[in-house]
Amino acid sequence: MEKRKNFTSKIKAEIVLSLLRGEDPELISREYGVTLADINLWRDQFIESGTDGFKRKPDDSKLGAAERKIGQLQMELELTKKKNELAAKLKRK
């Protein structure tokens, strides 16, 4: 079984625009090595959402960055708490 190619949103837009200009879908399919089903899916996504429709999850990049930052801050907070507990124990001795 052949591995599927990943296409950038720019390439997908280029393919869809070729299709919308009236070029033969089968020729586009052969030229780019993509199935007609994918071309039709991308066309529908493009019509519905423009190039944002090609992104897997358009708003997830900001959300993912925020979640990573929260995780980093939680780790720093835990380390600071442990450091303070250790310092307090050492001070008592």
Side-chain angles (χ1 to χ4, degrees):
M1 188 173 209
E2 189 177 320
K3 184 181 176 195
R4 288 184 62 137
K5 296 179 186 176
N6 288 325
F7 292 92
T8 64
S9 58
K10 183 177 178 179
I11 297 296
K12 290 177 184 179
E14 186 178 307
I15 291 169
V16 169
L17 290 173
S18 296
L19 182 69
L20 294 176
R21 277 194 225 80
E23 293 183 31
D24 183 20
E26 289 189 20
L27 290 176
I28 297 169
S29 172
R30 278 187 242 127
E31 179 181 343
Y32 288 95
V34 64
T35 66
L36 289 173
D38 284 337
I39 291 173
N40 290 328
L41 173 67
W42 297 342
R43 179 200 58 213
D44 295 344
Q45 289 173 335
F46 183 81
I47 289 170
E48 186 175 317
S49 306
T51 55
D52 284 342
F54 298 142
K55 296 177 183 171
R56 292 191 181 166
K57 296 176 183 170
D59 295 328
D60 276 359
S61 60
K62 288 181 183 178
L63 178 62
E67 287 174 339
R68 283 189 296 279
K69 186 64 176 178
I70 289 169
Q72 177 188 359
L73 292 171
Q74 284 176 327
M75 288 175 54
E76 288 177 13
L77 180 60
E78 289 297 318
L79 288 172
T80 302
K81 285 180 182 178
K82 291 200 184 285
K83 181 180 128 187
N84 289 340
E85 288 173 8
L86 182 61
K89 282 183 184 178
L90 292 173
K91 215 177 205 184
R92 284 186 231 139
K93 290 184 178 183

